[in-house]
Each structure stands twice: as structure tokens, then as C-alpha cells.
Amino acid sequence: MNVLNIEHIHKIYGEKVIFDDVSLGIHQGDKIGIIGVNGTGKTTLLKIIAGLEETDEGEIIRGNGIRVSYLPQNPEFSGNPAILSYVMEGKEHQDWQTESEAKTILTRLGIYDFEEKTQHLSGGERKRAALARTLVDPAEILILDEPTNHLDNDMVLWLEDYLNQFKGVLIMVTHDRYFLDRVTNKIVEIDQGKLYEYDANYSGFLELKAQREEMEIASERKRQSLLRVEMEWMKQGVKARGTRQRARTERFEALKNAKGPKMQQQVEIDSLSSRLGKKTIELSHVSKGFQGRQLISDFSYIVLKEDRLGFIGPNGCGKSTMMKMIMGLLTPDEGEIILGDTVKIGYFAQENQEMDGDIRVIDYIRDTAEYIQTAKGQASASQMLERFLFPPELQYTPLNRLSGGEKRRLYLLKVLMEAPNVLILDEPTNDLDIATLTILEDYLDSFQGIVITVSHDRYFLDRVVSRIFAFEEGGKLTQYEGGYTDYLDKVKARKSEIPKEQKEKKGKKFQKTHQKKLKFTFQEQRDYETIDDEIAALEEKIEKLDQDMIENATNSGKLAELVQQKEEAEKMLEEKMDRWVYLNDLTEKIEQQK
């Protein structure tokens, strides 16, 4: 069943064609991933579907009563409400059950102080609060722009499960390829103003796209062959003026005027680096804390040439702090960090440097270098910009007119133009499109230097790093060989050997030091006392319904009634289980405060 139709839409910004007569049908049960190079219109398409932006031509047709929830890439907050009030604002159901759902989702996303004011939140916390607001009492169409940004790995896994159970339509933009694989059943690619649909997840899309491009190339070869034959006939002159000759002449004109397939633009990066001496980076007994909380405790490591290191852990555990200490932007409380004389660091920070104002794109790069020596010879700033998909007409555009993704790609070029021999990448996958990420990963394969990255992107970690340092309780960093999947396998194996009480201790989440004292509300206290019995009763009810369905297998009327009762009971059980998880998490935090 169609829930939304996009019909013949056109959209132009200045001289740039974003959408050129594109149409798309969205059906019940679709879980759609929108992909494409930054600046091609992914966010614009989401805003058009959400009704937040107008098209130049065409229309969006929604089914009757279809509601839309939209998570923007960079949420904006009006006023200064408490987090829970912000999440609950505008919900159709303002009862205790919806509030319970809101608290459960916030807890899953690492936000525990529901009464804290939104103006005190960090950028990552604001995005997670906005995500919670979108997920609570969700609409029939859920639109998410980069939902995995600022989520740690446990949060991403939870969000995968949530979206897989979501019954409505999902439309999202994300760079997380594992996430796309596990959540979507359709990929829509935006390329040079057109939309291409693939009924598959991301892995299936890669295969189907390769097949499409091969067919287009084969068709183009056939067109060129026919064109050569017809051209020879035209050179000989038309020998008669009959209908067949006119038809053949028209066919020749059609073949000549037809356009061949446009190959998708790709970022090109030559390996750029300077010589690295024997002495690299030495961290000796480094410790760092903030406001009485120990983030890093007695960490030592000598970074080797061509090391590929990944630092992982929950949000707020100290990953970015570690990167800033290596950069010299922060000083350790104890220990020291020594850099070799030849070390030249390129720092790709989690947030872009100041990139507003009317400075032009080409001047932003020229401030770093007018020319750079690449593996293929000398290249100018303009040539490097073209390789990064900034054509000449875009190079004189002010920075404040670029999309968020285009700014991120430009910032990456600026870092690489410095020709570092140590690359520190703090959440490099945030706001970079998949095509750019793929080329960056290929670039890092040939990079003659050290790569140190902080990332929650499991695919990127598997693809790039060969050693992982995981932040664990008390600021301890534990070393694991291999990529993220190797790390996960080793952690699972280790956990299977740990007694239950130690698992519970290790499972405690990082908490903010300024968190207010938690306590049960009257309703939460009453629910906590009765919820175990309610869950048991529902489980017994479902078992009895299963038995009744077997006994009434030949009675279609009664069977349909029992199926409906079972679905309602299973939905209620799921809600009770979510409530149980929230109440037990809250109980544990209240106990920790005592």
C-alpha cells in the first residue's frame, strides 16, 4: 500500500540542479536508506518529504491521516525546557505510558537526568535528545537524518533493534554501512539530479548498482556500434526518399543525440605525507580526570611507524580528551607525552574548524598550500579541489553556502593538504558520505604514516585499524588486536567467563558528575512493585492463547479473534518489558547514589 508519492519534482539552488523530474513511491513497510555524495540533495529530499521545504515543480502526495516525524541533522532548540518536557512536547498521548516510553528511550541513549535544561547539553546530547523526541510515540513515517551520529556502539545496536521492530515507514540518511545493512530493505541513490531505486539493503545495493552500470555501459557500446554503421550509410548518401530511408535517417539522428551514461563522480585522493623519523609518539603513565572523575588512568604506549590504532568507548569516557592530549591541546594530570622531532600531525577534529563567513572555498584551501606534491606530481589548490568534487564554478562559492557534508569534505582536504605523517581522526565518519569514506579508506591503505582514530563506525574500524584500545571502568584502556569485529568477539568470549556479579559491575554506564539525585515517582514506585507479576500474567495469557489457537485451527472466525488478542497481548508485553528495563536501570542508579 502506497503511503506517500513523490511525483515529478524539480529543485534548483542557484545554478545547481538538485532534482530533475524525479518520482518515487513509498510503500507500507519500506525501510529506505538515502545515499549519495555530499551536496547531491539527501537532506533536501528528507525536508521535502517532511513538508519543511518546497519544490520548484511537482508534488508530494501523502495518504489520509499519515503523520511524519523528522529528526534533523543539526537539531535546533527553542527556549530552555527540561529534557523530558522537550521530548514530550507535541505528543498525541500525554499519559504516564508515553512518559515511561520517553524515559526508557532517553536512558537507552545515555541521558539520565530528565529535568536538566536543554541549554546545558553538549552537541551530542542535543542530537540524542532530539532522536528520543522523534522516536517517542512515533508517526507513521519516520525520517532520520544521520541518526547514528553521536551514538556509541551499544546505542547503535539498540537503535538497530528498535527500528527493526518499528512497523511504520522509515526513511533515513546515514553513513553507517553496517547499520544500512541491518535495518534497510530499500536503497535510494541520488546521483546528478536523478533517483535510482534498489530493493535491497546496502550489500545488495552494491551488487545491483554494479549490474546497472554494466548494463548502461553495454548499452552505450551497442549505441556507438550502431551509430558507426548508420554514419557509414549517411556518408554514402540517401539513395531514395521513401519511408524506410526517412525512418533510418531519423534513427541516425536519435542515436547521435542520445546521451551516454554519466559515471558517478568520485573523490580522488593521492597519498600525501612527509618523512617520519624513528621517534614517533610515546605516552608514558598518562592520567587525566575532570571534576573528580578519572577518564584515563596510567596509560602507556609507544606508537609504532604505520600503526593503525582505534580508540573506542561510551560517549564522555575520554576518547577526544586523549586525542587532544596527543595534539598538545590538553596537558595530562600525570605522566607525559613525547613527540618525535619529525612528527607532523594532521588533526581531523570531531567538529569542523570555523567555516562560516564569506571566505571562498579556494581561498580556504590556499591558506594551507597553493601547491602540493602528490604521488602523481605537483597539484595546485584548484586541482585538488576538483579531485574532491569541487568544480571550478563551486570553488569561488562562500563557505556559508556549502552544505554540512560539503564543509566536512572540504575540511578533510585541508587536513590532508598539510601533508601530515600522523593522522588523528576524531569521529571522521560524521557527515561524510559513503563515497568519500570509501576513498578515504583506500587512501589510508597507502598512507605512509600513523593513523589514530576515534570512531563509533564499526565498518570503518574493521576496514582501517589493526589494534583497538577500549576505554573500560576507572579510566583503564585495554588493548585488543584486530578490528572492531575481532574486539567484539574477544569481549564476548571474555564475558562468558566472568561471574554474573562482575558482569553487572562492568555494565554500569558512565554518568555525568553533575547529575541530580534520582528517585522514584509515585507511579514508578507502584509499577516497580507490580510489574513482575504483570509480565508473568501476560506470558501465561500468551501461552494459553497459543493453545486455544491450536484447538480452534479449523474455526476461522474464532481463530482470527484469538490472533488479534495475541497481537494485543504481545504488544502489551513488549511495553511492560521496556518499562521493566527502565525501572531496573533507575533502581540501579538510585542504589549507586546511596
Side-chain angles (χ1 to χ4, degrees), residues 14 90 207 254 276 312-313 350 385 415 418 594:
E207 295 177 11
L276 182 61
I312 65 173
Q350 192 170 153
L385 280 166
V415 171
E418 296 168 353
K594 292 180 179 178

Side-chain angles (χ1 to χ4, degrees), residues 352-368:
N352 293 347
Q353 293 174 340
E354 186 63 37
M355 295 183 70
D356 293 322
D358 56 2
I359 181 172
R360 300 178 303 181
V361 167
I362 193 163
D363 294 329
Y364 178 77
I365 294 300
R366 281 175 174 164
D367 284 346
T368 300

Side-chain angles (χ1 to χ4, degrees), residues 9 37 49 106 150 165 178 192 222 240 257 264 266 310 390 403 451 477 483 524 570:
I9 66 170
V37 175
I49 295 172
L106 284 167
H150 307 292
Q165 294 174 32
Y178 282 161
Q192 302 184 65
K222 183 178 179 181
N257 295 329
Q264 185 177 23
Q266 287 192 332
F390 291 97
S403 70
V451 178
L477 278 86
E524 286 168 343
E570 286 177 337

Side-chain angles (χ1 to χ4, degrees), residues 331-394:
T331 304
D333 296 338
E334 297 177 15
E336 59 180 347
I337 299 174
I338 303 171
L339 273 57
D341 293 336
T342 60
V343 168
K344 185 177 182 182
I345 295 178
Y347 181 42
F348 189 59
Q350 192 170 153
E351 302 293 338
N352 293 347
Q353 293 174 340
E354 186 63 37
M355 295 183 70
D356 293 322
D358 56 2
I359 181 172
R360 300 178 303 181
V361 167
I362 193 163
D363 294 329
Y364 178 77
I365 294 300
R366 281 175 174 164
D367 284 346
T368 300
E370 181 70 48
Y371 293 93
I372 193 75
Q373 193 65 35
T374 75
K376 298 178 182 177
Q378 194 177 65
S380 67
S382 180
Q383 289 171 324
M384 291 300 293
L385 280 166
E386 284 196 64
R387 294 179 187 183
F388 264 59
L389 307 186
F390 291 97
E393 60 271 19
L394 193 57

Side-chain angles (χ1 to χ4, degrees), residues 308-455:
R308 300 290 191 268
L309 308 178
F311 285 80
I312 65 173
N315 288 323
C317 67
K319 302 184 299 295
S320 293
T321 299
M322 175 67 81
M323 300 304 106
K324 289 176 181 177
M325 286 196 295
I326 295 173
M327 282 291 299
L329 301 175
L330 290 175
T331 304
D333 296 338
E334 297 177 15
E336 59 180 347
I337 299 174
I338 303 171
L339 273 57
D341 293 336
T342 60
V343 168
K344 185 177 182 182
I345 295 178
Y347 181 42
F348 189 59
Q350 192 170 153
E351 302 293 338
N352 293 347
Q353 293 174 340
E354 186 63 37
M355 295 183 70
D356 293 322
D358 56 2
I359 181 172
R360 300 178 303 181
V361 167
I362 193 163
D363 294 329
Y364 178 77
I365 294 300
R366 281 175 174 164
D367 284 346
T368 300
E370 181 70 48
Y371 293 93
I372 193 75
Q373 193 65 35
T374 75
K376 298 178 182 177
Q378 194 177 65
S380 67
S382 180
Q383 289 171 324
M384 291 300 293
L385 280 166
E386 284 196 64
R387 294 179 187 183
F388 264 59
L389 307 186
F390 291 97
E393 60 271 19
L394 193 57
Q395 293 178 16
Y396 291 87
T397 300
L399 295 181
N400 55 20
R401 290 180 58 187
L402 298 180
S403 70
E406 286 172 323
K407 287 181 180 180
R408 195 75 174 149
R409 191 185 334 130
L410 185 64
Y411 177 39
L412 175 62
L413 173 59
K414 184 179 181 72
V415 171
L416 297 180
M417 286 283 284
E418 296 168 353
N421 49 36
V422 176
L423 272 173
I424 295 180
L425 309 173
D426 194 352
E427 294 293 357
T429 62
N430 282 0
D431 300 324
L432 281 183
D433 58 75
I434 291 174
T436 305
L437 281 175
T438 302
I439 301 302
L440 174 60
E441 289 158 0
D442 291 341
Y443 169 86
L444 295 176
D445 287 341
S446 61
F447 178 66
Q448 301 295 310
I450 294 165
V451 178
I452 304 173
T453 184
V454 167
S455 182

Side-chain angles (χ1 to χ4, degrees), residues 55 130 153 209 216 248 368 390 436 473 514 536 566 592:
T55 62
N153 294 312
K209 181 183 178 181
E216 288 177 346
R248 193 166 181 180
T368 300
F390 291 97
T436 305
E473 189 176 0
H514 61 276
K566 183 183 175 184
Q592 290 172 12

